[in-house]
C-alpha cells in the first residue's frame, strides 16, 4: 500500500525522458514479467508505428489495465485484447476484457483513490486505476471506461497517449 501511494504521489509530475516506444513491445515486456494467469489468452492488435513517448508511465498504465483485466475477472478463463491505433495526435490504446464489466454507477468512482468494485478483494489497494488516470492525464492524455462491451459483459479501458512531446514554456 505504501509503495502504491508513493507511485501515486510521484505520478503528479510529468516525466520528460522521451524515447521511441512500440506498444506491442511494451505489452510483451509487461507480460514477460507479469504473465496472464493460466486460462487467459491475449489478442494483440497493434497496427501502428513506434512513436515518441515517455515509456515508463505508459508501461505502468498498461500494466495496471492488464492486471485489472484478469484480477477482477469472475471466471477462470478469459480473453484480453490490446488494440492500438493512431488517432490524430494520439495513440489510442484499448485494453478489453470479457469479465463481468463495470456497473454504470461505478464508472467514475473506480478512478478515485482507494475505490474498488470488489470490497476486500485480496491484492486490491484501490490505487491502480487512480494512478493510471493520473499518469495518463499528467502526460497529456485521457482515459475512459466502456462497459459492457459485448452481450452484457466485458470492459474496455481506452486511453489516448500523446504521440508527440508536448511543448512547454521552456521549449
Amino acid at each position: 500500500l505504501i509503495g502504491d501511494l508513493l507511485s501515486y504521489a510521484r505520478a503528479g509530475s510529468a516525466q520528460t525522458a522521451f524515447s521511441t516506444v512500440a506498444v506491442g513491445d511494451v505489452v510483451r515486456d509487461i507480460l514477460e514479467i507479469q504473465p496472464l494467469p493460466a486460462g487467459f489468452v491475449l489478442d494483440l492488435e497493434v497496427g501502428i508505428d513506434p512513436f515518441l513517448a515517455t515509456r515508463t508511465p505508459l508501461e505502468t498504465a498498461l500494466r495496471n489495465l492488464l492486471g485489472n483485466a484478469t484480477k477482477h475477472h469472475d471466471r477462470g478463463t478469459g480473453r484480453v485484447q490490446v488494440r492500438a491505433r493512431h488517432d490524430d495526435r494520439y495513440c489510442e490504446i484499448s485494453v478489453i476484457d470479457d469479465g463481468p464489466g463495470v456497473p454504470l454507477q461505478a464508472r467514475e468512482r473506480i478512478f478515485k483513490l482507494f475505490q474498488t468494485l470488489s470490497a476486500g478483494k485480496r491484492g486490491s489497494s484501490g490505487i491502480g486505476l487512480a494512478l493510471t488516470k493520473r499518469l495518463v492525464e499528467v502526460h497529456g492524455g485521457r482515459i475512459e471506461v466502456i462497459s459492457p462491451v459485448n452481450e452484457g459483459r466485458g470492459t474496455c479501458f481506452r486511453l489516448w497517449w500523446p504521440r508527440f512531446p508536448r511543448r512547454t514554456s521552456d521549449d
Side-chain angles (χ1 to χ4, degrees):
L1 180 61
I2 291 171
D4 288 344
L5 283 171
L6 287 171
S7 294
Y8 183 81
R10 284 190 293 258
S13 58
Q15 290 187 11
T16 57
F18 290 92
S19 62
T20 302
V21 174
V23 174
D25 290 347
V26 172
V27 171
R28 283 185 281 276
D29 289 349
I30 290 167
L31 294 178
E32 189 174 305
I33 295 168
Q34 179 184 320
L36 295 179
F40 284 83
V41 176
L42 175 75
D43 291 333
L44 186 59
E45 297 175 30
V46 180
I48 61 172
D49 294 327
F51 63 102
L52 202 56
T54 50
R55 181 182 171 112
T56 300
L58 176 59
E59 184 174 340
T60 301
L62 290 175
R63 179 180 292 113
N64 286 338
L65 295 176
L66 286 166
N68 278 357
T70 57
K71 181 177 14 175
H72 298 290
H73 205 287
D74 59 343
R75 297 178 180 161
T77 61
R79 181 170 303 278
V80 179
Q81 298 174 0
V82 177
R83 298 180 186 156
R85 67 181 193 90
H86 291 300
D87 179 17
D88 192 25
R89 296 174 304 146
Y90 295 90
C91 176
E92 179 187 304
I93 306 169
S94 298
V95 177
I96 307 158
D97 66 59
D98 60 355
V102 177
L104 181 62
Q105 67 274 18
R107 294 205 189 127
E108 291 300 317
R109 181 172 55 90
I110 60 173
F111 290 110
K112 295 187 184 336
L113 271 175
F114 307 120
Q115 299 295 311
T116 65
L117 287 180
S118 6
K121 180 135 182 166
R122 194 178 191 100
S124 294
S125 64
I127 295 175
L129 287 176
L131 172 62
T132 299
K133 181 176 172 57
R134 189 166 179 168
L135 285 169
V136 169
E137 291 178 350
V138 161
H139 287 85
R142 62 187 168 95
I143 186 169
E144 70 177 1
V145 60
I146 301 162
S147 186
V149 176
N150 189 19
E151 298 179 16
R153 292 186 57 82
T155 303
C156 172
F157 284 95
R158 184 172 299 142
L159 62 89
W160 288 265
W161 197 273
R163 290 178 45 211
F164 309 102
R166 291 190 321 180
R167 293 187 147 274
T168 65
S169 58
D170 296 338
D171 291 344

